[in-house]
Each structure stands twice: as structure tokens, then as C-alpha cells.
Amino acid sequence: MTLLLKYAILQVMKFSKSCINTLREDPKEAESKSHRILLRGGFVRPLVSGIHIYLPLGWRILMRIEKIIREELNRIGAQEMLMPAICPRDVWEKSGRWIEYGDDMFKFKDRKGREYCLCPTHEEIITGIARNSIRSYRDLPQIWYQIQIKYRDELRSRFGVIRSRQFIMKDSYSLDRDDDGLSESFELHKQAYTNIYRRCGIDFEIVDAAGGLMGTGQSSEFVARVDGGEDTIAICANCDYRASLEVAQGIGKVFDFADSPVTEVHTPGKRSVDEVSDFLKVGSENLVKSIFYTASDKEPMLILLRGDYEINEGVIRSKFGFSYKPADAETIVRFFGAEPGFIGPVNKDDIAIYADDLLKGAKGMITGANKNDYHMKGLNLERDVNVREYLNLRVVKKGDACSKCRSELELHNSLELGHIFKLGTRYSKLLGATFLDENGEEKPIVMGSYGIGLERIMACVCEQKGDEHGAVWPISITPSEVYIVVLNPLDNDVAGVAEEVIQALTNNGFSVIIDDRDLSAGVKFNDSELLGIPLRLTIGPKGIKNDSFDIHLRETKEIVRVDKTSILCKLQELKSMLYRRLNE
RNA sequence: CGGGGCGUAGCGCAGCGGUUUAGCGCGCAUGGUUCGGGACCAUGAGGUCGUGGGUUCAAAUCCCACCGCCCCGACCA
């Protein structure tokens, strides 16, 4: 037997001889649905917090996802390569991200004391490659990608593989001569990503997003609505507006309170918005909360927000800088002469004051009096406060109106699956990746960066399609297409028919798990459902006697009954039907 | 880092006002009976009770410290 044939036969996984470990009970550490399914089905296993082992079935799924990603990226002309996971410090110093990424990066020293990190992403390295290999505008555009493990020392990993400290990522990078080129590369990726997620059977949305540590250019997120997600997206029920909560802009209700002169009120021990509004018997929208931010390298600033809204930290960081942090109590006392909960914007002209735009023209408001245990009533922003600028600084909340069409916005839990960014020239300028244009002029390469987390696709499918019995894999990424339950496998007739059917299936390109364990039927049926294999064929003495075999569809629970000669044909038909359904 | 929960066999758990030999269910092994939705009988293997220290004649059990895991928050492409 040639080696090739031997591997071809491995298309068949014999349950009794495979590393498949299903758990009869839910593992206690798993609370989210995808985590539960992935652990119980034995697809993954934890090693330490945030780091997982991908067992054979889980790895098969990931490999099939990889294949789809490769096909779609190759189709837009992207070239695959593989970069190292280890990178020396100086490369990251040049981009400024050795500090910016900070503790989120795994860092270590080699035996000579030289410092390295395990790459959390690869903009620095890719820009280095571009610097060496791109000379002329004639070399552009190009798209490069890799599928590789990324390392991020997350503050808190959670939900199994959804937020982990080591994960597989497809990261691609586009190199263009100008913004128009970048826009084209960006659109190509948008199309490729759309195809990828559709082929993986995921129901997804494309939303506007924040660039975060990547930069401040345009970025879009591919997200899935799931109950167990860790992010939130705002979706307009009426128009096509959708945005990640970090950047979503809504229109809030405006309240008109009667104007009056400023007076102090005694509010002993009442600090929070809820405490003060309860105590004074007013709605939280009647309050102005003051949040004091300081930064090591920038001037302190006071942010004013209406009491019924939360501050959008993402906007603070992208607008004012990453170094801004809410001040501690001691600093607040030093600047305001009052404790947190009692500070306010009146007579604070020496501090930069930015207010949320919902406060423009607000009057009759209540805010801290800069005196412990006192607030002030009758605040008129225009009259009493020296606001430097009004900006949208609040997080959208349920009931806000869409900024595009004024319909109501809905908020949904979501899971980030992929993110595409227009980087622009940030990295190429810092790291000197330039080209000569037709006029012989040296210009920085205009770059884009695009990422997909592979495990999240797997987890997302569990979240969206999984049911009380376990996983439901789409035919495109299932670890195996057909699960054959052999009942009474020690019976010679049964074993004979099973053998025959398996031959026919593998000869026709099916991947098969055969459950040849000598166990009672229920155990095998339940495992087939837990493992989520789309098609299940049962071979047992009764079926052989009556020449009637059951094919069960995992997703719809339909049962199709066929005679022996039609098994192959029917399975082929069902398989193509399942593929067709993915494209609908 | 703050708050909460937990750590006893591969998995799920009981025992935890100190007491010979640490239990139960599932799984695993052997033999037998079964066999179309988590079978049954018999026998058996499997444990540094998270780690270290302390109290005590005696610690899984009481005390201290540490480690690890999960959840909430802070934080995060």
C-alpha cells in the first residue's frame, strides 16, 4: 500500500481508534454556549487560561476554515507567506508600539539578554518586508497574507476560544500607491470576507468600528449577533446604519428644564448619579456628571456628560490620546477641592472642559458644587461654564434615534469575527517603506491591514447554530460529512454492509466517521448529535433485514429512508443540497 | 488589579463541628447477558484530597500563605 493510499483511508475516522473524547456532562468551567459545546464534544481542551489544545476534530474544522480563507484570498490576488512569531524589540520601538502595546504583548529575553516579543500582529514586520522589496510604483499594488498563531497576553481571557491569549489569525496587508488604491484593496477584502463568512454558514453584519491600537483610519468590523458575545453593536431597524458601540452615534432626546439662578443644595453623602437623582427626586437626565481625565504627557481635562449617558472611552482615546485615564481620588481633590461625586465645571476656567453635545444649551441642570456634600441646581451651561468644545462623547443607548434616518436604534450582543483597517502611511512613514512614483518622487506606501480570527468562526457557528444536543456544523466546515452509526458492529452481516458502504462513500470523496463502538444505540446517536456531523447514516440488523436505511439530517432533524443501493446517491444529493443552502 | 465562586480518581460530585482503610454516579478493564435513542449482572484497576507551612496524639476536614481555574468588572484589533 502506498503512503498516499494509507492517508486516503484516513478519510474514515474509526471512532473506536480515534482521539475523540465526548463528555457526558457539561464541564463546569464552561458557561457560554460555544465553550460548552467545544469542550463537551472534545473539539478543544484547555491547557492554561486562555490557551487551548485543538484536538483532531477541532483541528479538522479549523483546517477547513483555513482552506476557505485561502481560496477567497487567493481569488483577490493575495499572496500567502509565513512570518515569524518571534520579533526583536527594536522593530517595535520604531513604530512606538513596544510601549503602546505594553503588557498585552508577551515579552522575553534570549540567552544573550536581547529582548523579543511574541507578535500580537504583524504590521511592523510586513512594513519591513515592503521596505526591502518595493521600489517602484510599478511594483504596486500587492496584497500579502499569512495564517499564523498570534500571541496576546489578554488581561482577561474568556469564553473559551473567543478571547484567548494564543489564537490563529489570517492577517493580510495591502500595499498601494495612494488612497484610491487603498480603497480598492479595502473593498476587495470586504468582498473576500463576505464570501468567507457566508461559506462558513455565519449570519454576520458589517459595522463601522474604531481603529484602536491600529491607528485612526477607516475601519469596518465583521460581527455576528450572538447571545454570548462580548461586544455590542447598534443596528438601525429601518436603514442600513450599523456600528460598533465604540463608534456608534445616536441622537438622544433633548430635555428642556426651566432656567433659574444657580443655588447650592445639601446632598450629604450622595455621590453617584443614581444617589443624587433619587435624593433630589429628579430624573438622571437632569444631572450633569463631570469626569476628570489626566494624562502624563497632556493637559488634564474635564468631560461633561448628561446623567443618563455613559462616557465613550473609545472616543476619548481616539480624540485625545491613549494616555488619558480617569483621575484618581487624590488628584481630583487636589484640582477641585472636593471629593469625587461632588465636583463640577463651574468656575473651573483653568481646566479644559469638553461637553457632550447633548448638553448644548442645557439649563436648569444639577451638578457637583466642588464642595463636599453639596451639589448645585440651576446650571446653565452657556451662562455658567466655559466649554471649550461640544463633541459627541457618549455611548449610544437603547431608544436613541439613528443619526441617518431617525428611526430607533437597537442594541445587540455581538462577536467580532474580523476587522479591516485603512492604515494609511502610519507604518510606512515610521519604518521608511517608500516607493518612487512616475516623477521619481519618493512616497510612503499606503497600507491596509485585515484580520480574521479562525477560532472565532468555529465558536460563532456553535453560538449561532448549536442546540441543546450540541454542535451543528455547516457542510463546508464540518470535521466529517457523514457519521455512520453501526448498530451491533460485532454482527458479521452488519460489519459487511458497513464495510461496503464505507468503500462506496470514500471512493466518492466523502469524509466519514464510523461509530464502530460496541455500545447501545442511544449513546452513539447522542454522540453524533453532540459532534454535529450534518449527515448520519444508521446501519443495523433491522435495516439490513428490511433493506431500509435511515439518513438523519442534523440541522433539520429530518429522516430520509432509502434502500441499500440508493445510499450513496441519496447522500450525494443531500450533500449538494446542504452546500446549496449555504449560498441562499 | 477589584468583587464573587471553585479546586477530592479521566468527567460530574458527596464527605469538611478532627478519628482506623476517603466515598458515590458516569467512564475505564475483564467475563457474561443484551442490542434501532445515554442497557444489565459480576469482578477489578484507578487518589501527592491544588501546593507549602502551622495547630493537634490525630487534618481532605481547623488556621496562615501561595498557586491554579471559572464568572462579573476594569481592560482589550
Side-chain angles (χ1 to χ4, degrees), chain A residues 326-358:
Chain A
D328 56 33
E330 201 184 307
T331 314
I332 289 174
V333 172
R334 189 149 44 86
F335 276 87
F336 293 87
E339 287 171 16
F342 302 107
I343 65 168
V346 179
N347 294 327
K348 284 290 156 200
D349 295 356
D350 51 329
I351 295 171
I353 297 177
Y354 295 91
D356 181 66
D357 53 22
L358 258 188

PDB file of all heavy atoms in Angstrom, chain A residues 326-358:
ATOM      1  N   PRO A 326      -9.000  58.124  33.667  1.00  0.00           N
ATOM      2  CA  PRO A 326      -9.757  58.834  34.703  1.00  0.00           C
ATOM      3  C   PRO A 326      -8.845  59.089  35.908  1.00  0.00           C
ATOM      4  O   PRO A 326      -8.077  58.219  36.298  1.00  0.00           O
ATOM      5  CB  PRO A 326     -10.870  57.851  35.075  1.00  0.00           C
ATOM      6  CG  PRO A 326     -10.985  56.937  33.899  1.00  0.00           C
ATOM      7  CD  PRO A 326      -9.614  56.845  33.310  1.00  0.00           C
ATOM      8  N   ALA A 327      -8.933  60.282  36.462  1.00  0.00           N
ATOM      9  CA  ALA A 327      -8.033  60.653  37.564  1.00  0.00           C
ATOM     10  C   ALA A 327      -8.400  59.908  38.839  1.00  0.00           C
ATOM     11  O   ALA A 327      -9.555  59.532  39.037  1.00  0.00           O
ATOM     12  CB  ALA A 327      -8.128  62.156  37.800  1.00  0.00           C
ATOM     13  N   ASP A 328      -7.424  59.713  39.708  1.00  0.00           N
ATOM     14  CA  ASP A 328      -7.736  59.070  40.985  1.00  0.00           C
ATOM     15  C   ASP A 328      -8.263  60.114  41.975  1.00  0.00           C
ATOM     16  O   ASP A 328      -8.199  61.333  41.727  1.00  0.00           O
ATOM     17  CB  ASP A 328      -6.502  58.335  41.548  1.00  0.00           C
ATOM     18  CG  ASP A 328      -5.308  59.257  41.709  1.00  0.00           C
ATOM     19  OD1 ASP A 328      -5.519  60.452  42.000  1.00  0.00           O
ATOM     20  OD2 ASP A 328      -4.177  58.778  41.536  1.00  0.00           O
ATOM     21  N   ALA A 329      -8.778  59.628  43.085  1.00  0.00           N
ATOM     22  CA  ALA A 329      -9.459  60.498  44.046  1.00  0.00           C
ATOM     23  C   ALA A 329      -8.550  61.627  44.544  1.00  0.00           C
ATOM     24  O   ALA A 329      -8.971  62.784  44.653  1.00  0.00           O
ATOM     25  CB  ALA A 329      -9.957  59.668  45.226  1.00  0.00           C
ATOM     26  N   GLU A 330      -7.304  61.279  44.785  1.00  0.00           N
ATOM     27  CA  GLU A 330      -6.352  62.255  45.331  1.00  0.00           C
ATOM     28  C   GLU A 330      -6.157  63.442  44.375  1.00  0.00           C
ATOM     29  O   GLU A 330      -6.206  64.601  44.772  1.00  0.00           O
ATOM     30  CB  GLU A 330      -5.023  61.522  45.521  1.00  0.00           C
ATOM     31  CG  GLU A 330      -4.085  62.156  46.501  1.00  0.00           C
ATOM     32  CD  GLU A 330      -2.777  61.363  46.511  1.00  0.00           C
ATOM     33  OE1 GLU A 330      -2.843  60.117  46.703  1.00  0.00           O
ATOM     34  OE2 GLU A 330      -1.725  61.973  46.276  1.00  0.00           O
ATOM     35  N   THR A 331      -5.970  63.110  43.086  1.00  0.00           N
ATOM     36  CA  THR A 331      -5.793  64.150  42.077  1.00  0.00           C
ATOM     37  C   THR A 331      -7.041  65.025  41.981  1.00  0.00           C
ATOM     38  O   THR A 331      -6.945  66.256  41.855  1.00  0.00           O
ATOM     39  CB  THR A 331      -5.506  63.510  40.705  1.00  0.00           C
ATOM     40  OG1 THR A 331      -4.520  62.503  40.882  1.00  0.00           O
ATOM     41  CG2 THR A 331      -5.051  64.534  39.706  1.00  0.00           C
ATOM     42  N   ILE A 332      -8.189  64.389  42.051  1.00  0.00           N
ATOM     43  CA  ILE A 332      -9.443  65.132  41.953  1.00  0.00           C
ATOM     44  C   ILE A 332      -9.547  66.153  43.090  1.00  0.00           C
ATOM     45  O   ILE A 332      -9.860  67.323  42.864  1.00  0.00           O
ATOM     46  CB  ILE A 332     -10.644  64.155  41.956  1.00  0.00           C
ATOM     47  CG1 ILE A 332     -10.675  63.399  40.627  1.00  0.00           C
ATOM     48  CG2 ILE A 332     -11.954  64.898  42.191  1.00  0.00           C
ATOM     49  CD1 ILE A 332     -11.712  62.315  40.527  1.00  0.00           C
ATOM     50  N   VAL A 333      -9.228  65.709  44.285  1.00  0.00           N
ATOM     51  CA  VAL A 333      -9.292  66.612  45.435  1.00  0.00           C
ATOM     52  C   VAL A 333      -8.322  67.778  45.237  1.00  0.00           C
ATOM     53  O   VAL A 333      -8.639  68.940  45.509  1.00  0.00           O
ATOM     54  CB  VAL A 333      -8.987  65.856  46.748  1.00  0.00           C
ATOM     55  CG1 VAL A 333      -8.864  66.835  47.904  1.00  0.00           C
ATOM     56  CG2 VAL A 333     -10.072  64.823  47.028  1.00  0.00           C
ATOM     57  N   ARG A 334      -7.145  67.461  44.696  1.00  0.00           N
ATOM     58  CA  ARG A 334      -6.140  68.499  44.503  1.00  0.00           C
ATOM     59  C   ARG A 334      -6.624  69.571  43.517  1.00  0.00           C
ATOM     60  O   ARG A 334      -6.434  70.765  43.728  1.00  0.00           O
ATOM     61  CB  ARG A 334      -4.847  67.845  43.991  1.00  0.00           C
ATOM     62  CG  ARG A 334      -3.647  68.737  43.929  1.00  0.00           C
ATOM     63  CD  ARG A 334      -2.348  67.944  44.165  1.00  0.00           C
ATOM     64  NE  ARG A 334      -2.310  66.675  43.431  1.00  0.00           N
ATOM     65  CZ  ARG A 334      -1.896  66.572  42.167  1.00  0.00           C
ATOM     66  NH1 ARG A 334      -1.505  67.630  41.492  1.00  0.00           N
ATOM     67  NH2 ARG A 334      -1.879  65.384  41.580  1.00  0.00           N
ATOM     68  N   PHE A 335      -7.284  69.148  42.437  1.00  0.00           N
ATOM     69  CA  PHE A 335      -7.737  70.102  41.425  1.00  0.00           C
ATOM     70  C   PHE A 335      -9.052  70.796  41.778  1.00  0.00           C
ATOM     71  O   PHE A 335      -9.299  71.914  41.393  1.00  0.00           O
ATOM     72  CB  PHE A 335      -7.901  69.404  40.071  1.00  0.00           C
ATOM     73  CG  PHE A 335      -6.614  69.310  39.296  1.00  0.00           C
ATOM     74  CD1 PHE A 335      -5.743  68.246  39.497  1.00  0.00           C
ATOM     75  CD2 PHE A 335      -6.281  70.299  38.367  1.00  0.00           C
ATOM     76  CE1 PHE A 335      -4.566  68.165  38.778  1.00  0.00           C
ATOM     77  CE2 PHE A 335      -5.099  70.209  37.642  1.00  0.00           C
ATOM     78  CZ  PHE A 335      -4.228  69.134  37.856  1.00  0.00           C
ATOM     79  N   PHE A 336      -9.939  70.081  42.483  1.00  0.00           N
ATOM     80  CA  PHE A 336     -11.289  70.599  42.675  1.00  0.00           C
ATOM     81  C   PHE A 336     -11.614  70.983  44.113  1.00  0.00           C
ATOM     82  O   PHE A 336     -12.642  71.585  44.368  1.00  0.00           O
ATOM     83  CB  PHE A 336     -12.328  69.580  42.176  1.00  0.00           C
ATOM     84  CG  PHE A 336     -12.277  69.389  40.689  1.00  0.00           C
ATOM     85  CD1 PHE A 336     -11.412  68.460  40.116  1.00  0.00           C
ATOM     86  CD2 PHE A 336     -13.079  70.157  39.855  1.00  0.00           C
ATOM     87  CE1 PHE A 336     -11.347  68.296  38.750  1.00  0.00           C
ATOM     88  CE2 PHE A 336     -13.024  69.990  38.475  1.00  0.00           C
ATOM     89  CZ  PHE A 336     -12.148  69.058  37.923  1.00  0.00           C
ATOM     90  N   GLY A 337     -10.765  70.542  45.039  1.00  0.00           N
ATOM     91  CA  GLY A 337     -11.039  70.851  46.435  1.00  0.00           C
ATOM     92  C   GLY A 337     -12.255  70.104  46.947  1.00  0.00           C
ATOM     93  O   GLY A 337     -12.820  70.468  47.980  1.00  0.00           O
ATOM     94  N   ALA A 338     -12.674  69.087  46.236  1.00  0.00           N
ATOM     95  CA  ALA A 338     -13.806  68.269  46.685  1.00  0.00           C
ATOM     96  C   ALA A 338     -13.573  66.834  46.243  1.00  0.00           C
ATOM     97  O   ALA A 338     -12.773  66.583  45.335  1.00  0.00           O
ATOM     98  CB  ALA A 338     -15.103  68.790  46.090  1.00  0.00           C
ATOM     99  N   GLU A 339     -14.285  65.937  46.903  1.00  0.00           N
ATOM    100  CA  GLU A 339     -14.097  64.526  46.588  1.00  0.00           C
ATOM    101  C   GLU A 339     -14.884  64.137  45.334  1.00  0.00           C
ATOM    102  O   GLU A 339     -15.824  64.832  44.956  1.00  0.00           O
ATOM    103  CB  GLU A 339     -14.546  63.673  47.776  1.00  0.00           C
ATOM    104  CG  GLU A 339     -13.556  63.757  48.931  1.00  0.00           C
ATOM    105  CD  GLU A 339     -14.077  63.098  50.193  1.00  0.00           C
ATOM    106  OE1 GLU A 339     -15.052  62.319  50.086  1.00  0.00           O
ATOM    107  OE2 GLU A 339     -13.520  63.370  51.261  1.00  0.00           O
ATOM    108  N   PRO A 340     -14.502  63.006  44.733  1.00  0.00           N
ATOM    109  CA  PRO A 340     -15.252  62.514  43.583  1.00  0.00           C
ATOM    110  C   PRO A 340     -16.730  62.404  43.951  1.00  0.00           C
ATOM    111  O   PRO A 340     -17.066  61.988  45.051  1.00  0.00           O
ATOM    112  CB  PRO A 340     -14.682  61.118  43.336  1.00  0.00           C
ATOM    113  CG  PRO A 340     -13.324  61.145  43.948  1.00  0.00           C
ATOM    114  CD  PRO A 340     -13.379  62.125  45.069  1.00  0.00           C
ATOM    115  N   GLY A 341     -17.592  62.802  43.036  1.00  0.00           N
ATOM    116  CA  GLY A 341     -19.026  62.769  43.322  1.00  0.00           C
ATOM    117  C   GLY A 341     -19.570  64.158  43.595  1.00  0.00           C
ATOM    118  O   GLY A 341     -20.766  64.389  43.510  1.00  0.00           O
ATOM    119  N   PHE A 342     -18.657  65.072  43.927  1.00  0.00           N
ATOM    120  CA  PHE A 342     -19.120  66.429  44.238  1.00  0.00           C
ATOM    121  C   PHE A 342     -18.448  67.488  43.362  1.00  0.00           C
ATOM    122  O   PHE A 342     -18.550  68.675  43.623  1.00  0.00           O
ATOM    123  CB  PHE A 342     -18.886  66.747  45.715  1.00  0.00           C
ATOM    124  CG  PHE A 342     -19.561  65.775  46.643  1.00  0.00           C
ATOM    125  CD1 PHE A 342     -18.828  64.838  47.353  1.00  0.00           C
ATOM    126  CD2 PHE A 342     -20.944  65.783  46.773  1.00  0.00           C
ATOM    127  CE1 PHE A 342     -19.462  63.925  48.187  1.00  0.00           C
ATOM    128  CE2 PHE A 342     -21.591  64.867  47.612  1.00  0.00           C
ATOM    129  CZ  PHE A 342     -20.846  63.938  48.317  1.00  0.00           C
ATOM    130  N   ILE A 343     -17.722  67.020  42.337  1.00  0.00           N
ATOM    131  CA  ILE A 343     -17.022  68.001  41.514  1.00  0.00           C
ATOM    132  C   ILE A 343     -17.910  68.476  40.363  1.00  0.00           C
ATOM    133  O   ILE A 343     -18.855  67.796  39.970  1.00  0.00           O
ATOM    134  CB  ILE A 343     -15.690  67.444  40.956  1.00  0.00           C
ATOM    135  CG1 ILE A 343     -15.929  66.291  39.977  1.00  0.00           C
ATOM    136  CG2 ILE A 343     -14.778  67.030  42.093  1.00  0.00           C
ATOM    137  CD1 ILE A 343     -14.681  65.910  39.200  1.00  0.00           C
ATOM    138  N   GLY A 344     -17.617  69.659  39.865  1.00  0.00           N
ATOM    139  CA  GLY A 344     -18.422  70.217  38.792  1.00  0.00           C
ATOM    140  C   GLY A 344     -17.622  71.220  37.983  1.00  0.00           C
ATOM    141  O   GLY A 344     -16.466  71.524  38.304  1.00  0.00           O
ATOM    142  N   PRO A 345     -18.203  71.765  36.900  1.00  0.00           N
ATOM    143  CA  PRO A 345     -17.462  72.594  35.943  1.00  0.00           C
ATOM    144  C   PRO A 345     -17.503  74.096  36.230  1.00  0.00           C
ATOM    145  O   PRO A 345     -16.877  74.864  35.499  1.00  0.00           O
ATOM    146  CB  PRO A 345     -18.196  72.301  34.634  1.00  0.00           C
ATOM    147  CG  PRO A 345     -19.624  72.058  35.058  1.00  0.00           C
ATOM    148  CD  PRO A 345     -19.570  71.445  36.428  1.00  0.00           C
ATOM    149  N   VAL A 346     -18.234  74.512  37.245  1.00  0.00           N
ATOM    150  CA  VAL A 346     -18.391  75.956  37.444  1.00  0.00           C
ATOM    151  C   VAL A 346     -17.138  76.571  38.071  1.00  0.00           C
ATOM    152  O   VAL A 346     -16.556  75.994  38.992  1.00  0.00           O
ATOM    153  CB  VAL A 346     -19.631  76.240  38.316  1.00  0.00           C
ATOM    154  CG1 VAL A 346     -19.789  77.732  38.564  1.00  0.00           C
ATOM    155  CG2 VAL A 346     -20.869  75.678  37.636  1.00  0.00           C
ATOM    156  N   ASN A 347     -16.733  77.724  37.524  1.00  0.00           N
ATOM    157  CA  ASN A 347     -15.524  78.428  37.968  1.00  0.00           C
ATOM    158  C   ASN A 347     -14.263  77.587  37.814  1.00  0.00           C
ATOM    159  O   ASN A 347     -13.381  77.603  38.656  1.00  0.00           O
ATOM    160  CB  ASN A 347     -15.659  78.870  39.433  1.00  0.00           C
ATOM    161  CG  ASN A 347     -16.743  79.917  39.574  1.00  0.00           C
ATOM    162  OD1 ASN A 347     -16.953  80.723  38.671  1.00  0.00           O
ATOM    163  ND2 ASN A 347     -17.436  79.884  40.700  1.00  0.00           N
ATOM    164  N   LYS A 348     -14.214  76.800  36.750  1.00  0.00           N
ATOM    165  CA  LYS A 348     -13.033  75.968  36.513  1.00  0.00           C
ATOM    166  C   LYS A 348     -12.425  76.351  35.169  1.00  0.00           C
ATOM    167  O   LYS A 348     -12.117  75.493  34.338  1.00  0.00           O
ATOM    168  CB  LYS A 348     -13.432  74.489  36.538  1.00  0.00           C
ATOM    169  CG  LYS A 348     -13.667  73.955  37.944  1.00  0.00           C
ATOM    170  CD  LYS A 348     -12.348  73.869  38.700  1.00  0.00           C
ATOM    171  CE  LYS A 348     -12.573  73.912  40.195  1.00  0.00           C
ATOM    172  NZ  LYS A 348     -11.357  74.310  40.939  1.00  0.00           N
ATOM    173  N   ASP A 349     -12.267  77.635  34.939  1.00  0.00           N
ATOM    174  CA  ASP A 349     -11.784  78.109  33.645  1.00  0.00           C
ATOM    175  C   ASP A 349     -10.342  77.707  33.375  1.00  0.00           C
ATOM    176  O   ASP A 349      -9.877  77.746  32.240  1.00  0.00           O
ATOM    177  CB  ASP A 349     -11.910  79.637  33.571  1.00  0.00           C
ATOM    178  CG  ASP A 349     -13.373  80.050  33.616  1.00  0.00           C
ATOM    179  OD1 ASP A 349     -14.231  79.130  33.620  1.00  0.00           O
ATOM    180  OD2 ASP A 349     -13.652  81.255  33.661  1.00  0.00           O
ATOM    181  N   ASP A 350      -9.632  77.313  34.435  1.00  0.00           N
ATOM    182  CA  ASP A 350      -8.232  76.922  34.251  1.00  0.00           C
ATOM    183  C   ASP A 350      -8.114  75.499  33.709  1.00  0.00           C
ATOM    184  O   ASP A 350      -7.031  75.039  33.372  1.00  0.00           O
ATOM    185  CB  ASP A 350      -7.488  77.047  35.593  1.00  0.00           C
ATOM    186  CG  ASP A 350      -8.214  76.341  36.727  1.00  0.00           C
ATOM    187  OD1 ASP A 350      -9.464  76.272  36.677  1.00  0.00           O
ATOM    188  OD2 ASP A 350      -7.537  75.843  37.642  1.00  0.00           O
ATOM    189  N   ILE A 351      -9.231  74.776  33.622  1.00  0.00           N
ATOM    190  CA  ILE A 351      -9.191  73.392  33.132  1.00  0.00           C
ATOM    191  C   ILE A 351      -9.915  73.306  31.798  1.00  0.00           C
ATOM    192  O   ILE A 351     -10.941  73.956  31.592  1.00  0.00           O
ATOM    193  CB  ILE A 351      -9.866  72.453  34.153  1.00  0.00           C
ATOM    194  CG1 ILE A 351      -9.053  72.430  35.459  1.00  0.00           C
ATOM    195  CG2 ILE A 351      -9.989  71.031  33.601  1.00  0.00           C
ATOM    196  CD1 ILE A 351      -9.724  71.710  36.585  1.00  0.00           C
ATOM    197  N   ALA A 352      -9.362  72.519  30.875  1.00  0.00           N
ATOM    198  CA  ALA A 352     -10.013  72.328  29.588  1.00  0.00           C
ATOM    199  C   ALA A 352     -11.295  71.548  29.810  1.00  0.00           C
ATOM    200  O   ALA A 352     -11.278  70.476  30.398  1.00  0.00           O
ATOM    201  CB  ALA A 352      -9.088  71.553  28.656  1.00  0.00           C
ATOM    202  N   ILE A 353     -12.422  72.116  29.357  1.00  0.00           N
ATOM    203  CA  ILE A 353     -13.702  71.445  29.556  1.00  0.00           C
ATOM    204  C   ILE A 353     -14.313  71.073  28.208  1.00  0.00           C
ATOM    205  O   ILE A 353     -14.472  71.925  27.325  1.00  0.00           O
ATOM    206  CB  ILE A 353     -14.677  72.350  30.348  1.00  0.00           C
ATOM    207  CG1 ILE A 353     -14.102  72.622  31.741  1.00  0.00           C
ATOM    208  CG2 ILE A 353     -16.054  71.686  30.449  1.00  0.00           C
ATOM    209  CD1 ILE A 353     -14.959  73.560  32.585  1.00  0.00           C
ATOM    210  N   TYR A 354     -14.609  69.794  28.058  1.00  0.00           N
ATOM    211  CA  TYR A 354     -15.290  69.323  26.855  1.00  0.00           C
ATOM    212  C   TYR A 354     -16.632  68.756  27.297  1.00  0.00           C
ATOM    213  O   TYR A 354     -16.712  68.041  28.290  1.00  0.00           O
ATOM    214  CB  TYR A 354     -14.488  68.231  26.160  1.00  0.00           C
ATOM    215  CG  TYR A 354     -13.166  68.730  25.620  1.00  0.00           C
ATOM    216  CD1 TYR A 354     -12.011  68.673  26.402  1.00  0.00           C
ATOM    217  CD2 TYR A 354     -13.091  69.265  24.331  1.00  0.00           C
ATOM    218  CE1 TYR A 354     -10.804  69.147  25.921  1.00  0.00           C
ATOM    219  CE2 TYR A 354     -11.887  69.743  23.839  1.00  0.00           C
ATOM    220  CZ  TYR A 354     -10.740  69.679  24.635  1.00  0.00           C
ATOM    221  OH  TYR A 354      -9.550  70.150  24.144  1.00  0.00           O
ATOM    222  N   ALA A 355     -17.684  69.087  26.552  1.00  0.00           N
ATOM    223  CA  ALA A 355     -19.004  68.613  26.954  1.00  0.00           C
ATOM    224  C   ALA A 355     -19.645  67.811  25.836  1.00  0.00           C
ATOM    225  O   ALA A 355     -19.401  68.070  24.646  1.00  0.00           O
ATOM    226  CB  ALA A 355     -19.896  69.795  27.313  1.00  0.00           C
ATOM    227  N   ASP A 356     -20.425  66.844  26.231  1.00  0.00           N
ATOM    228  CA  ASP A 356     -21.174  66.075  25.251  1.00  0.00           C
ATOM    229  C   ASP A 356     -22.169  66.999  24.567  1.00  0.00           C
ATOM    230  O   ASP A 356     -22.751  67.879  25.206  1.00  0.00           O
ATOM    231  CB  ASP A 356     -21.906  64.930  25.947  1.00  0.00           C
ATOM    232  CG  ASP A 356     -22.674  64.095  24.956  1.00  0.00           C
ATOM    233  OD1 ASP A 356     -22.017  63.455  24.116  1.00  0.00           O
ATOM    234  OD2 ASP A 356     -23.914  64.089  25.003  1.00  0.00           O
ATOM    235  N   ASP A 357     -22.386  66.801  23.268  1.00  0.00           N
ATOM    236  CA  ASP A 357     -23.198  67.776  22.534  1.00  0.00           C
ATOM    237  C   ASP A 357     -24.682  67.762  22.925  1.00  0.00           C
ATOM    238  O   ASP A 357     -25.420  68.674  22.580  1.00  0.00           O
ATOM    239  CB  ASP A 357     -23.003  67.639  21.009  1.00  0.00           C
ATOM    240  CG  ASP A 357     -23.216  66.235  20.520  1.00  0.00           C
ATOM    241  OD1 ASP A 357     -23.884  65.457  21.210  1.00  0.00           O
ATOM    242  OD2 ASP A 357     -22.709  65.918  19.417  1.00  0.00           O
ATOM    243  N   LEU A 358     -25.094  66.741  23.649  1.00  0.00           N
ATOM    244  CA  LEU A 358     -26.478  66.747  24.134  1.00  0.00           C
ATOM    245  C   LEU A 358     -26.685  67.828  25.195  1.00  0.00           C
ATOM    246  O   LEU A 358     -27.807  68.163  25.530  1.00  0.00           O
ATOM    247  CB  LEU A 358     -26.824  65.396  24.764  1.00  0.00           C
ATOM    248  CG  LEU A 358     -27.647  64.410  23.943  1.00  0.00           C
ATOM    249  CD1 LEU A 358     -28.037  63.247  24.816  1.00  0.00           C
ATOM    250  CD2 LEU A 358     -28.869  65.058  23.335  1.00  0.00           C
TER     251      LEU A 358
END
